[in-house]
Amino acid sequence: MRTITYNEVHALVTKLPESKLPLAYRLLYSLTAEDSESPQAEFMQLSADERRSLLSQQAEKMKDHYEQTADERAEWQAGDFVDESKTR
């Protein structure tokens, strides 16, 4: 792929209608921001083994959380369901 110069990018930007400048600006800004990678993109750059390990750790944490809150969840999930449309 050939090298693109600043002048070529500038020439394209000057051809944009004014209404599209905010979109172009946001795109260029996001490309130059230090943290331009989203957490999802960073995750996908990990190897399959690293992703699997991370997901396994997160699943274990959630399992522990759900076990610890089982009684509380059972309380608010229990009870009768009321069809309000029939009570009117």
Side-chain angles (χ1 to χ4, degrees), residues 53-65:
S53 174
L54 184 58
L55 290 172
S56 178
Q57 291 170 17
Q58 291 174 345
E60 197 60 41
K61 283 182 183 177
M62 291 311 298
K63 177 183 172 228
D64 292 343
H65 169 75

Side-chain angles (χ1 to χ4, degrees), residues 16-48:
L16 286 173
E18 198 169 315
S19 63
K20 299 215 177 184
L21 288 177
L23 178 62
Y25 177 82
R26 286 194 302 272
L27 172 64
L28 290 171
Y29 183 83
S30 70
L31 292 172
T32 60
E34 285 186 31
D35 292 330
S36 63
E37 294 245 2
S38 70
Q40 295 86 350
E42 289 177 8
F43 178 78
M44 291 309 297
Q45 289 179 354
L46 298 173
S47 71

